[in-house]
Amino acid sequence: MNRIQATARFQKIDNFANLGNLYVLLIRISSIIILISAIIIVRTKMKSNATQKDVAKMAGVSQATVSLVLNGAGSNSISDTTVAKINEAVRVLGYLPNYMARALRTNQTMTLACVVPDIMNPYYPALIRGVQAVAEAAGYDVITVSTDGQKERELHYLKMALQGRIDGVIGVFFGLGIIDLEPFIEAGIPIVRLEASVKRGGPISIDDFFVDNSQAAEDLTSFLISKGHSRIAMIAGRGGPQSVRVDGYRKALQSKRLKALIQLDDAFTEEGGARAAVKLLDKGEKPTAIIAANDLMAIGVMHALMGRGLSIPDEIAVAGFDDIPAARLVSPSLTTVTQFQNSLGAQAAHALVERLNGTAIGPGRATQQPYRIIERLST
Amino acid sequence: MNRIQATARFQKIDNFANLGNLYVLLIRISSIIILISAIIIVRTKMKSNATQKDVAKMAGVSQATVSLVLNGAGSNSISDTTVAKINEAVRVLGYLPNYMARALRTNQTMTLACVVPDIMNPYYPALIRGVQAVAEAAGYDVITVSTDGQKERELHYLKMALQGRIDGVIGVFFGLGIIDLEPFIEAGIPIVRLEASVKRGGPISIDDFFVDNSQAAEDLTSFLISKGHSRIAMIAGRGGPQSVRVDGYRKALQSKRLKALIQLDDAFTEEGGARAAVKLLDKGEKPTAIIAANDLMAIGVMHALMGRGLSIPDEIAVAGFDDIPAARLVSPSLTTVTQFQNSLGAQAAHALVERLNGTAIGPGRATQQPYRIIERLST
DNA sequence: CTGTTAGCGCATTCAG
DNA sequence: CTGAATGCGCTAACAG
């Protein structure tokens, strides 16, 4: 078509212009040729690995025999010479099994998904690390994904399992409830959840690992009371594990007949914490201690207080949750509650692997995990 | 066999004992039966998704037609009624394409690997986030992996590509050089590297994104000199981008004829930084400013100095590299050099996607990325 | 002990 | 416009 147009024009225009046209034409053609050849080169190079067939040919045996030897199945039933020949061929050819073909056949991918709300939140890397350690030891690879706590994205990654891309899921789900998860379990996808409040095992075989955040908050509050504080405020975001922590805080105060003083903010970030603290102070409230629903917010609170020239912990003590790495690094260092994320991740992975290899069957198990208050200089 | 043994014993022993044996036998048999049935249940549930064949059957067309419709290929060449019937069947059956089968056929996984030394190091999450954003927009999923900077593990993930598990790799490689990487490029695996020193594009089509860390260190040092410091020490770990930064520091001092004062430690962590700082002080050196090769070490230095009762920045100023989240949070907040990790990751992902879809071909491109000194209260 | 056979689910010619 | 046929690379019976 291009060429026809060009030819048509060719006949109408004078020689000089023709030269220009010809030039343009040549450029076009040659660029197309370059593109095509490049594509050919790329295609030619693409993933050109030796297959079992190649190995079989070189070793002078059938492809099936190669498969048998490589999978070690019936290892006693194949002659040493054959095995040797095959191994040699594998070595020479640099044979690597094609993952997709194997997965298609066996219906196993040997990979797990670790679904977290936000990889940028310093709480999660430690968790992920724990998962990876156990999973890899069991021969599974881990793919880590951030969902921003959006239900839609959480579902996306669960669907990957349904498409046969992953064998199981470990997740911190903000948007999805057990009702949403059930279809996946029904379809045979093992799921392990990490939760922030007490769970009981149910008929659906989802395993839960939970930290009793309500109790933790209660303990932390009681700890502050025991240090002599009586006006203790709480600052929290909305959603996630925050509300559970607020509940615990409330309980502790009630049992001592102290008044709750709660300031919420939309974001559970440093900025959110600072904002809430300012709002609290501006209301004329003058607590002697502030508990923030996570460390990020607690650090924000600290900054806000320092900005007002208030000394920590002398005038106002501050405590948080999560024991993120920065908690140790701020000044004064932050009193907080650790959930042993690393171990939590490891246990979750362990449970998932058990489901996967059939060691564990039956209804869902709920396992409580420990927490601990870490007292530092901010209280 | 078990049964035969039991039967044999049955004849020898008195009735009472026999009862016991029988009991054991029954227990064994029943437990085996339970196990088997459980396995059957599990197997039955396993990934039982509708296939194109099912859809075809329901829609009364052939599997090939289903594939055509679903892939939108020749969308104009299929009757609307057929398309409608197929879509309806897809909906009813909840059909999801089998990822493995598709990947096997097309030789594409639409998955990228993002290989970093340590996901726990706060420098990387932002990078990963950048990669994920771009990759997902282009239809790729990202699998993130930590290598601990070990050559062996870096290779492991590269081999995943050779096995057809991933289409391309974005990586921060500590152990692997271009020589190690070349075979993978030869095999058609696009690789994008993130580097800490100046690179030039080479014949091998590996794309490099680098930040000139030497220049950054030189600038940071000059910045301190301009603030009136003349006795500036540097604390660094061994390996990684650290040595490049030391070089830049040296250069800046030389140009002003100032003496370099370097204290190394094996670990580029907070502890390493604190250790090095103590060693420096114990030597009787009294610098007016200390540059640490990364923020983690810088924070360690700050702690060590505070431990000695030295005030920051009045007696000794401190600066670091990376702008990890904690840099902003410590007191005094830490002056550091940001590398815009998020954007760095995004660009790298963009380049990889270009290679993948053939938009970019030819030799490796090296692209310089910006950095910026962020002045805070520690200097 | 080894080879033959039969798909896994899908994309893609090639005929009708 | 649609269906039949083929094969990606591999595993797993099943025969010899």
Side-chain angles (χ1 to χ4, degrees):
Chain A
M1 192 59 160
N2 229 334
R3 184 178 237 145
I4 293 171
Q5 278 175 3
T7 314
R9 261 185 277 160
F10 191 86
Q11 298 168 330
K12 284 191 193 166
I13 315 174
D14 70 82
N15 272 345
F16 194 72
N18 279 346
L19 235 53
N21 263 328
L22 196 63
Y23 185 66
V24 168
L25 184 64
L26 282 176
I27 292 282
R28 286 208 184 148
I29 291 177
S30 60
S31 68
I32 288 171
I33 290 174
I34 290 174
L35 190 65
I36 291 174
S37 53
I39 289 173
I40 290 172
I41 290 171
V42 169
R43 287 232 166 258
T44 311
K45 282 193 179 185
M46 274 296 195
K47 323 269 164 76
S48 56
N49 279 318
T51 69
Q52 287 191 354
K53 201 153 95 181
D54 301 328
V55 173
K57 204 188 302 172
M58 176 175 258
V61 297
S62 83
Q63 176 267 326
T65 307
V66 174
S67 177
L68 274 182
V69 170
L70 262 32
N71 293 315
S75 53
N76 49 3
S77 77
I78 288 181
S79 75
D80 288 353
T81 37
T82 306
V83 171
K85 271 190 299 185
I86 289 174
N87 283 334
E88 175 62 8
V90 164
R91 209 183 50 71
V92 173
L93 261 28
Y95 167 81
L96 283 176
N98 178 305
Y99 176 79
M100 294 302 160
R102 184 206 297 259
L104 175 60
R105 194 59 239 258
T106 61
N107 218 10
Q108 284 205 108
T109 63
M110 298 309 282
T111 104
L112 267 31
C114 182
V115 177
V116 298
D118 183 10
I119 204 182
M120 296 274 291
N121 182 327
Y123 174 83
Y124 295 107
L127 188 80
I128 294 168
R129 219 35 215 267
V131 170
Q132 285 194 346
V134 171
E136 288 184 11
Y140 288 88
D141 285 300
V142 178
I143 117 169
T144 305
V145 285
S146 284
T147 62
D148 294 323
Q150 291 168 22
K151 189 169 181 173
E152 200 176 287
R153 306 197 74 210
E154 290 175 355
L155 272 175
H156 172 76
Y157 293 109
L158 248 11
K159 279 192 188 150
M160 285 184 37
L162 244 28
Q163 298 188 94
R165 292 185 60 166
I166 50 185
D167 293 341
V169 180
I170 294 172
V172 176
F173 299 108
F174 279 5
L176 263 30
I178 188 118
I179 315 98
D180 308 295
L181 261 21
E182 191 178 349
F184 294 96
I185 295 291
E186 287 301 316
I189 315 292
I191 300 178
V192 173
R193 279 148 96 205
L194 268 13
E195 296 280 327
S197 56
V198 178
K199 299 280 159 185
R200 291 170 308 161
I204 296 171
S205 52
I206 289 186
D207 293 324
D208 286 320
F209 283 80
F210 65 88
V211 173
D212 187 345
N213 273 269
S214 174
Q215 188 61 53
E218 202 175 326
D219 286 1
L220 182 59
T221 310
S222 299
F223 164 77
L224 288 173
I225 294 173
S226 77
K227 297 266 282 186
H229 295 281
S230 60
R231 291 191 53 74
I232 304 173
M234 173 127 196
I235 280 174
R238 297 181 220 273
Q242 311 268 328
S243 55
V244 180
R245 290 174 182 165
V246 172
D247 288 347
Y249 156 79
R250 273 217 176 83
K251 248 193 237 167
L253 290 186
Q254 271 167 13
S255 73
K256 300 281 179 185
R257 308 197 176 282
L258 295 174
K259 216 183 85 197
L261 188 55
I262 298 168
Q263 181 66 51
L264 297 180
D265 191 279
D266 286 323
F268 29 99
T269 61
E270 202 203 338
E271 286 75 25
R275 214 156 33 215
V278 166
K279 222 177 275 178
L280 197 70
L281 262 26
D282 285 348
K283 275 186 191 167
E285 306 284 3
K286 199 71 190 323
T288 62
I290 298 178
I291 296 177
N294 72 18
D295 287 350
L296 249 21
M297 293 192 90
I299 291 171
V301 169
M302 288 173 62
H303 282 189
L305 297 184
M306 292 181 199
R308 296 277 175 126
L310 294 162
S311 90
I312 305 169
D314 297 335
E315 296 178 73
I316 301 187
V318 178
F321 282 84
D322 290 352
D323 192 29
I324 64 176
R328 212 160 44 87
L329 305 177
V330 292
S331 310
S333 55
L334 180 65
T335 291
T336 184
V337 181
T338 181
Q339 304 187 21
F340 306 105
Q341 293 95 149
N342 193 74
S343 144
L344 188 59
Q347 301 223 38
H350 187 71
L352 187 59
V353 169
E354 279 188 345
R355 288 278 178 191
L356 252 12
N357 64 208
T359 313
I361 49 182
R365 299 167 296 176
T367 313
Q368 178 145 12
Q369 293 294 112
Y371 59 84
R372 182 156 68 220
I373 296 174
I374 300 188
E375 186 178 3
R376 296 211 180 90
L377 304 178
S378 68
T379 56
Chain B
M1 189 61 155
N2 228 333
R3 184 176 237 145
I4 294 170
Q5 279 176 2
T7 314
R9 262 182 276 160
F10 193 87
Q11 296 168 332
K12 284 191 194 164
I13 316 174
D14 69 85
N15 272 344
F16 194 71
N18 279 345
L19 236 51
N21 263 328
L22 197 61
Y23 184 67
V24 168
L25 183 63
L26 283 176
I27 292 282
R28 284 207 184 148
I29 290 176
S30 61
S31 68
I32 289 172
I33 289 173
I34 289 174
L35 191 65
I36 290 174
S37 53
I39 289 173
I40 289 172
I41 290 170
V42 170
R43 286 234 166 256
T44 311
K45 282 194 181 186
M46 272 299 194
K47 323 269 163 80
S48 56
N49 278 318
T51 68
Q52 286 191 354
K53 202 153 96 181
D54 301 329
V55 173
K57 204 187 304 173
M58 177 175 257
V61 298
S62 83
Q63 174 265 326
T65 307
V66 175
S67 176
L68 277 181
V69 170
L70 262 34
N71 292 315
S75 52
N76 50 2
S77 78
I78 289 181
S79 75
D80 289 353
T81 38
T82 306
V83 170
K85 273 190 299 187
I86 289 175
N87 284 333
E88 174 61 10
V90 164
R91 208 184 50 72
V92 173
L93 261 26
Y95 166 81
L96 283 177
N98 180 305
Y99 176 80
M100 294 302 159
R102 187 208 295 266
L104 176 60
R105 194 56 235 260
T106 62
N107 217 10
Q108 284 205 110
T109 64
M110 297 309 283
T111 302
L112 269 31
C114 181
V115 176
V116 298
D118 182 10
I119 204 182
M120 296 275 290
N121 181 329
Y123 175 83
Y124 295 108
L127 189 79
I128 294 168
R129 221 34 216 267
V131 170
Q132 285 195 347
V134 171
E136 288 186 11
Y140 288 88
D141 285 300
V142 178
I143 116 168
T144 305
V145 284
S146 283
T147 61
D148 294 323
Q150 291 168 23
K151 188 168 180 173
E152 201 176 286
R153 306 198 74 210
E154 291 174 354
L155 271 176
H156 171 76
Y157 293 109
L158 249 11
K159 280 192 188 149
M160 286 186 35
L162 245 27
Q163 298 188 95
R165 292 184 60 167
I166 49 185
D167 293 341
V169 179
I170 294 172
V172 176
F173 300 108
F174 280 4
L176 262 31
I178 188 117
I179 315 99
D180 307 295
L181 260 21
E182 190 178 348
F184 294 95
I185 294 291
E186 289 299 317
I189 315 294
I191 299 177
V192 173
R193 279 148 97 206
L194 269 12
E195 297 280 326
S197 57
V198 178
K199 298 281 159 184
R200 290 172 310 162
I204 296 171
S205 53
I206 290 184
D207 294 324
D208 286 321
F209 284 79
F210 65 88
V211 173
D212 187 346
N213 274 269
S214 174
Q215 187 63 51
E218 202 175 328
D219 287 2
L220 182 59
T221 311
S222 300
F223 165 76
L224 289 173
I225 293 173
S226 77
K227 299 265 283 186
H229 294 281
S230 59
R231 291 192 53 75
I232 304 173
M234 173 125 196
I235 280 176
R238 295 180 223 274
Q242 313 267 328
S243 54
V244 179
R245 291 173 182 166
V246 172
D247 289 346
Y249 157 79
R250 274 218 176 81
K251 249 194 235 165
L253 290 186
Q254 271 167 14
S255 72
K256 300 280 180 185
R257 309 198 175 283
L258 294 173
K259 216 182 86 197
L261 188 56
I262 298 168
Q263 181 65 52
L264 296 179
D265 192 279
D266 286 324
F268 30 99
T269 61
E270 202 204 336
E271 286 74 25
R275 216 157 31 218
V278 166
K279 222 177 276 176
L280 197 68
L281 262 27
D282 285 348
K283 275 186 189 164
E285 306 284 3
K286 199 71 187 326
T288 63
I290 298 178
I291 296 177
N294 72 19
D295 286 351
L296 249 21
M297 294 191 89
I299 291 171
V301 169
M302 287 173 63
H303 282 189
L305 297 184
M306 293 180 195
R308 295 279 174 123
L310 295 163
S311 91
I312 303 170
D314 298 336
E315 294 178 75
I316 301 188
V318 178
F321 281 86
D322 288 354
D323 192 30
I324 65 175
R328 212 159 45 88
L329 306 176
V330 292
S331 310
S333 55
L334 181 64
T335 292
T336 184
V337 180
T338 181
Q339 304 186 21
F340 305 105
Q341 293 95 142
N342 192 76
S343 145
L344 189 59
Q347 302 223 38
H350 187 70
L352 187 58
V353 169
E354 279 189 345
R355 288 279 177 190
L356 250 13
N357 64 208
T359 313
I361 49 180
R365 299 165 299 176
T367 313
Q368 178 145 12
Q369 292 294 111
Y371 58 86
R372 181 157 70 222
I373 296 174
I374 298 186
E375 186 178 3
R376 297 209 181 90
L377 303 178
S378 68
T379 56

